[in-house]
Short mmCIF file of all heavy atoms in Angstrom, two decimals:
data_model
loop_
_atom_site.label_atom_id
_atom_site.label_comp_id
_atom_site.label_asym_id
_atom_site.label_seq_id
_atom_site.Cartn_x
_atom_site.Cartn_y
_atom_site.Cartn_z
N SER A 3 -53.83 -7.98 40.15
CA SER A 3 -55.08 -8.06 41.10
C SER A 3 -55.53 -6.57 41.25
O SER A 3 -54.77 -5.64 40.98
CB SER A 3 -54.71 -8.48 42.44
OG SER A 3 -53.92 -7.63 43.14
N LEU A 7 -53.56 -2.88 41.43
CA LEU A 7 -53.93 -1.60 40.77
C LEU A 7 -54.12 -0.47 41.66
O LEU A 7 -53.65 0.71 41.44
CB LEU A 7 -55.19 -1.89 39.91
CG LEU A 7 -55.75 -0.57 39.34
CD1 LEU A 7 -54.85 0.05 38.21
CD2 LEU A 7 -57.19 -0.85 38.74
N LEU A 11 -51.95 3.01 41.72
CA LEU A 11 -52.57 4.36 41.67
C LEU A 11 -52.19 5.27 42.86
O LEU A 11 -51.87 6.41 42.73
CB LEU A 11 -54.10 4.21 41.64
CG LEU A 11 -54.65 3.73 40.25
CD1 LEU A 11 -56.14 3.39 40.53
CD2 LEU A 11 -54.53 4.78 39.15
N ASN A 13 -49.50 4.95 44.66
CA ASN A 13 -48.05 5.35 44.55
C ASN A 13 -47.90 6.41 43.49
O ASN A 13 -46.96 7.26 43.54
CB ASN A 13 -47.19 4.15 44.36
CG ASN A 13 -47.03 3.17 45.45
OD1 ASN A 13 -47.22 3.69 46.64
ND2 ASN A 13 -46.97 1.91 45.23
N THR A 14 -48.62 6.31 42.33
CA THR A 14 -48.46 7.27 41.29
C THR A 14 -49.12 8.60 41.58
O THR A 14 -48.62 9.62 41.22
CB THR A 14 -49.18 6.68 40.01
OG1 THR A 14 -48.55 5.45 39.72
CG2 THR A 14 -48.90 7.70 38.84
N SER A 20 -54.87 8.49 50.08
CA SER A 20 -55.79 8.14 51.11
C SER A 20 -57.11 7.76 50.60
O SER A 20 -58.00 7.23 51.38
CB SER A 20 -55.79 9.35 52.21
OG SER A 20 -56.41 10.39 51.61
N HIS A 21 -57.48 8.14 49.38
CA HIS A 21 -58.80 7.88 48.86
C HIS A 21 -58.89 6.38 48.37
O HIS A 21 -59.96 5.76 48.23
CB HIS A 21 -59.11 8.80 47.71
CG HIS A 21 -59.30 10.18 48.09
ND1 HIS A 21 -60.45 10.60 48.83
CD2 HIS A 21 -58.58 11.33 47.82
CE1 HIS A 21 -60.24 11.95 49.06
NE2 HIS A 21 -59.14 12.32 48.44
N GLU A 25 -53.54 3.05 55.42
CA GLU A 25 -52.20 3.21 55.82
C GLU A 25 -51.42 1.86 55.70
O GLU A 25 -50.19 1.89 55.44
CB GLU A 25 -52.11 3.65 57.22
CG GLU A 25 -52.68 5.05 57.53
CD GLU A 25 -54.14 5.08 57.61
OE1 GLU A 25 -54.86 3.99 57.97
OE2 GLU A 25 -54.79 6.08 57.37
N THR A 26 -52.10 0.81 55.74
CA THR A 26 -51.50 -0.57 55.56
C THR A 26 -51.41 -1.06 54.21
O THR A 26 -51.05 -2.12 53.93
CB THR A 26 -52.12 -1.60 56.55
OG1 THR A 26 -53.54 -1.61 56.25
CG2 THR A 26 -51.96 -1.19 58.01
N HIS A 28 -54.19 -1.62 52.14
CA HIS A 28 -55.42 -2.41 51.73
C HIS A 28 -56.28 -1.42 51.16
O HIS A 28 -56.38 -0.21 51.52
CB HIS A 28 -55.99 -3.05 52.91
CG HIS A 28 -55.13 -4.07 53.56
ND1 HIS A 28 -54.26 -3.98 54.62
CD2 HIS A 28 -54.87 -5.42 53.20
CE1 HIS A 28 -53.56 -5.00 54.91
NE2 HIS A 28 -53.95 -6.01 53.93
N ILE A 35 -66.09 0.33 44.47
CA ILE A 35 -65.37 -0.18 43.37
C ILE A 35 -66.33 -1.04 42.36
O ILE A 35 -67.07 -1.90 42.86
CB ILE A 35 -64.27 -1.28 43.81
CG1 ILE A 35 -63.37 -0.57 44.88
CG2 ILE A 35 -63.42 -1.78 42.60
CD1 ILE A 35 -62.47 -1.57 45.61
N ILE A 37 -66.29 -3.07 38.61
CA ILE A 37 -65.60 -3.64 37.56
C ILE A 37 -66.56 -4.17 36.56
O ILE A 37 -67.37 -5.03 36.83
CB ILE A 37 -64.60 -4.80 37.97
CG1 ILE A 37 -63.65 -4.30 39.04
CG2 ILE A 37 -63.88 -5.36 36.74
CD1 ILE A 37 -62.77 -5.37 39.67
N ASP A 39 -69.43 -3.01 35.44
CA ASP A 39 -70.67 -2.89 35.90
C ASP A 39 -71.10 -3.78 37.05
O ASP A 39 -72.26 -3.90 37.35
CB ASP A 39 -71.73 -3.13 34.79
CG ASP A 39 -71.60 -2.05 33.61
OD1 ASP A 39 -71.26 -0.83 34.00
OD2 ASP A 39 -71.77 -2.36 32.56
N SER A 43 -66.39 -5.64 46.62
CA SER A 43 -66.08 -5.05 47.91
C SER A 43 -64.63 -4.86 48.04
O SER A 43 -63.70 -5.43 47.41
CB SER A 43 -66.64 -6.00 49.03
OG SER A 43 -65.78 -7.06 49.19
N ALA A 44 -64.17 -3.97 49.03
CA ALA A 44 -62.77 -3.69 49.28
C ALA A 44 -62.12 -4.99 49.80
O ALA A 44 -60.96 -5.22 49.48
CB ALA A 44 -62.70 -2.56 50.22
N GLU A 46 -62.59 -7.92 48.77
CA GLU A 46 -62.30 -8.78 47.66
C GLU A 46 -61.27 -8.34 46.72
O GLU A 46 -60.83 -8.99 45.81
CB GLU A 46 -63.65 -8.91 46.69
CG GLU A 46 -64.79 -9.59 47.46
CD GLU A 46 -66.07 -9.51 46.63
OE1 GLU A 46 -66.54 -8.44 46.32
OE2 GLU A 46 -66.56 -10.62 46.21
N LEU A 52 -57.80 -8.80 37.58
CA LEU A 52 -58.14 -7.91 36.49
C LEU A 52 -57.80 -8.58 35.14
O LEU A 52 -56.61 -9.18 35.07
CB LEU A 52 -57.64 -6.45 36.55
CG LEU A 52 -58.09 -5.84 37.78
CD1 LEU A 52 -57.37 -4.42 37.96
CD2 LEU A 52 -59.60 -5.64 37.80
N HIS A 53 -58.59 -8.37 34.11
CA HIS A 53 -58.21 -8.89 32.72
C HIS A 53 -58.17 -7.78 31.73
O HIS A 53 -58.74 -6.69 31.90
CB HIS A 53 -59.29 -9.95 32.32
CG HIS A 53 -59.43 -10.99 33.32
ND1 HIS A 53 -58.60 -12.01 33.52
CD2 HIS A 53 -60.40 -11.20 34.40
CE1 HIS A 53 -58.92 -12.90 34.46
NE2 HIS A 53 -60.02 -12.38 34.96
N VAL A 57 -63.10 -2.69 32.71
CA VAL A 57 -63.31 -1.26 32.98
C VAL A 57 -63.43 -1.11 34.55
O VAL A 57 -64.36 -1.78 35.08
CB VAL A 57 -64.46 -0.66 32.34
CG1 VAL A 57 -64.77 0.81 32.71
CG2 VAL A 57 -64.26 -0.78 30.87
N GLY A 66 -71.06 15.91 52.69
CA GLY A 66 -71.38 17.36 52.68
C GLY A 66 -72.74 17.55 52.74
O GLY A 66 -73.57 16.66 52.84
#
Side-chain angles (χ1 to χ4, degrees):
S3 75
L7 173 66
L11 287 170
N13 291 332
T14 302
S20 65
H21 294 290
E25 296 77 23
T26 58
H28 294 95
I35 306 166
I37 302 174
D39 298 323
S43 74
E46 296 172 298
L52 300 175
H53 305 283
V57 176

